[in-house]
Amino acid sequence: LNFYGKGELLNLTKVDALFSQQFLFDPIKSSIAFFMSDVIRKITFFGDSDEILFQELTQKIQDLDKTEDVRIFPLRFLIELSKTIGIQPVGEGSFFNLNQGLFLEQEMIGEIVYSGEEVKLIKNMITKNTSFEIPKRSIRRRAMDIYLKYLKIQHPNFKILKSYEVIKEILP
């Protein structure tokens, strides 16, 4: 930031970006950035100051700018953000219990539980297993739906994301 003037009131003359922002000129990436902004707005409180979260978000914006294949970027963003805010699910099983935030070996009656390819994708991304093929669109979409339901259960302010409807339509 560059300023000129005297006293307390200065005039802003120039703003330089800290890093490239080419994603702004890509309609898919800029829609993902809008989605990310929508998510952050839901999980933070006005006036909050969180240096770790700020650094994480700065890195995510840089990652978005550099990423060529963005098909799983929104889901990766949600998973990594949930770790940063302390609500990432844990466990070894193949059943994802949304109420408890656990991967369990067996389904629990009366709980919101999912299994299948979508849960496998979520687990692979949580464990940072990179040796999997990006699944077809329908599985990625259902995995996003499941993870968004999980976040709504785990975070009191996480509500409906209007930007998610756009993401569902534009991602290949």
Side-chain angles (χ1 to χ4, degrees):
L1 298 174
N2 294 334
F3 298 94
Y4 76 89
K6 293 184 179 181
E8 291 183 33
L9 187 60
L10 300 174
N11 293 311
L12 180 64
T13 60
K14 182 178 172 186
V15 176
D16 292 321
L18 293 175
F19 48 85
S20 168
Q21 296 176 350
Q22 291 300 312
F23 69 87
L24 295 173
F25 304 104
D26 179 318
I28 293 175
K29 287 184 177 184
S30 61
S31 296
I32 292 171
F34 184 74
F35 170 77
M36 292 165 61
S37 172
D38 200 10
V39 169
I40 296 305
R41 196 171 44 82
K42 300 288 186 193
I43 65 159
T44 58
F45 298 99
F46 183 74
D48 276 359
S49 177
D50 187 335
E51 183 67 26
I52 294 171
L53 182 59
F54 177 78
Q55 294 300 326
E56 181 78 20
L57 295 174
T58 301
Q59 184 60 52
K60 294 296 164 244
I61 291 168
Q62 292 173 359
D63 292 348
L64 176 61
D65 206 36
K66 295 175 195 170
T67 301
E68 294 294 323
D69 186 352
V70 295
R71 292 179 293 169
I72 60 171
F73 192 92
L75 181 57
R76 184 176 308 281
F77 169 73
L78 292 176
I79 288 170
E80 291 175 0
L81 180 64
S82 67
K83 180 178 181 180
T84 301
I85 64 174
I87 59 171
Q88 188 178 64
V90 295
E92 298 298 321
S94 58
F95 292 93
F96 183 18
N97 183 317
L98 275 60
N99 301 90
Q100 296 180 19
L102 296 172
F103 292 100
L104 302 171
E105 294 296 332
Q106 58 189 10
E107 189 171 356
M108 295 182 68
I109 305 300
E111 299 277 321
I112 302 171
V113 178
Y114 290 91
S115 63
E117 291 299 310
E118 305 83 12
V119 171
K120 187 184 284 188
L121 173 61
I122 292 168
K123 277 189 68 175
N124 280 333
M125 293 179 76
I126 287 173
T127 60
K128 299 198 185 310
N129 177 359
T130 57
S131 64
F132 66 90
E133 283 188 38
I134 295 177
K136 61 185 179 181
R137 183 179 189 193
S138 61
I139 292 172
R140 294 190 320 266
R141 186 180 280 190
R142 286 194 305 266
M144 278 285 289
D145 290 341
I146 290 168
Y147 211 79
L148 286 168
K149 284 180 189 176
Y150 168 71
L151 290 174
K152 287 176 190 171
I153 290 170
Q154 298 297 321
H155 196 283
N157 291 338
F158 202 86
K159 307 286 186 232
I160 295 171
L161 297 169
K162 294 177 184 173
S163 61
Y164 178 53
E165 295 305 315
V166 174
I167 293 296
K168 285 196 310 191
E169 293 304 317
I170 65 164
L171 284 178

